[in-house]
Amino acid sequence: MIKRKTFGIKRRKPRRSPKTASRAISISKLVKALDTVFSRFIRLKYAKNGIVFCYTCGHFTHWKKIHAGHFISRYYKETRWNENNVRPQCFMCNIYKKGDTVKFRINLIQEIGENEVVKMEKESARLTKRGSKEREWLENKIEHYKNELARLDLTQ
C-alpha cells in the first residue's frame, strides 16, 4: 500500500521571542534616535523665527526643510555628534555637493578658529571604544539633547 502525503494546513513551529526583546533598545536604534534628536537640535539652534540659513550657500528656508550637514562625515563616530562639526545645510549643498566641505571649512575657520577645526580633524581619526558603556553614553546624550530642545522651544 502506498502512503500519500496529506496536503493542507501546515503546522507552524511556535515563534520564539527575539533574544533582544528581554534587553533594552538596540545600539543601532539608540544611534538613530540620537541622530534624530541631534539633527533637530542643530536646526533649531540656528533658526530665527523658524527660518534657517544654509551654512555654505546662504539659502534660507524653514528649519524642517533643511539638513544638519556634517563637515567631517558621520562615519567618524568621535565627531558625529560634535556641535562644532554640524551646521544647517540645504539639500543641494549637503547631498548634491556632498557637504561642500571647502566652503564649510572656510566658514568654520572664520567662526570657531583654525585651531579648533584642526583639533576636530585630528579627533575624528581617533577610534572610539566605549564598550559596555556605549548604551549608557547614547542614552545620556539623547536625554541631554531632548532637554536642550525643550529649552530651545521655550525661548523661541
Side-chain angles (χ1 to χ4, degrees):
M1 181 173 205
I2 300 174
K3 286 189 176 180
R4 292 184 176 183
K5 288 185 177 180
T6 57
F7 296 99
I9 300 173
K10 291 183 181 179
R11 295 187 182 215
R12 293 182 185 172
K13 294 180 182 177
R15 278 185 122 173
R16 292 188 311 174
S17 63
K19 293 177 183 176
T20 56
S22 62
R23 285 194 283 159
I25 300 170
S26 69
I27 297 291
S28 60
K29 286 185 181 177
L30 286 172
V31 167
K32 187 173 182 174
L34 180 53
D35 281 343
T36 303
V37 147
F38 184 70
S39 170
R40 186 181 177 109
F41 166 73
I42 290 295
R43 293 176 292 142
L44 278 171
K45 178 181 175 182
Y46 293 97
K48 289 184 177 100
N49 298 324
I51 303 298
V52 184
F53 287 87
C54 174
Y55 193 67
T56 48
C57 74
H59 174 77
F60 61 93
T61 188
H62 191 267
W63 71 268
K64 289 184 179 180
K65 294 181 181 179
I66 207 154
H67 294 202
H70 289 70
F71 169 58
I72 298 168
S73 171
R74 288 178 1 150
Y75 171 80
Y76 301 99
K77 298 286 191 276
E78 196 64 34
T79 53
R80 184 173 185 156
W81 299 291
N82 183 335
E83 290 181 34
N84 283 337
N85 185 41
V86 186
R87 296 290 186 273
Q89 276 192 314
C90 65
F91 179 83
M92 182 68 79
C93 290
N94 195 33
I95 302 300
Y96 288 133
K97 295 181 181 179
K98 298 182 173 138
D100 204 356
T101 55
V102 174
K103 284 185 185 174
F104 204 123
R105 189 173 198 280
I106 291 168
N107 291 344
L108 266 182
I109 289 172
Q110 289 174 352
E111 184 181 344
I112 63 173
E114 189 168 5
N115 291 338
E116 286 295 316
V117 173
V118 171
K119 180 180 160 186
M120 191 169 49
E121 289 169 336
K122 287 179 182 175
E123 187 178 311
S124 71
R126 215 174 31 177
L127 288 175
T128 305
K129 292 189 178 182
R130 291 187 189 96
S132 62
K133 297 187 179 199
E134 184 168 13
R135 180 180 310 281
E136 182 183 335
W137 186 87
L138 289 167
E139 289 169 346
N140 289 339
K141 279 291 197 183
I142 290 169
E143 193 60 35
H144 169 73
Y145 284 112
K146 280 183 178 179
N147 292 337
E148 288 293 315
L149 277 171
R151 188 182 56 77
L152 280 174
D153 285 341
L154 292 175
T155 59
Q156 290 186 359

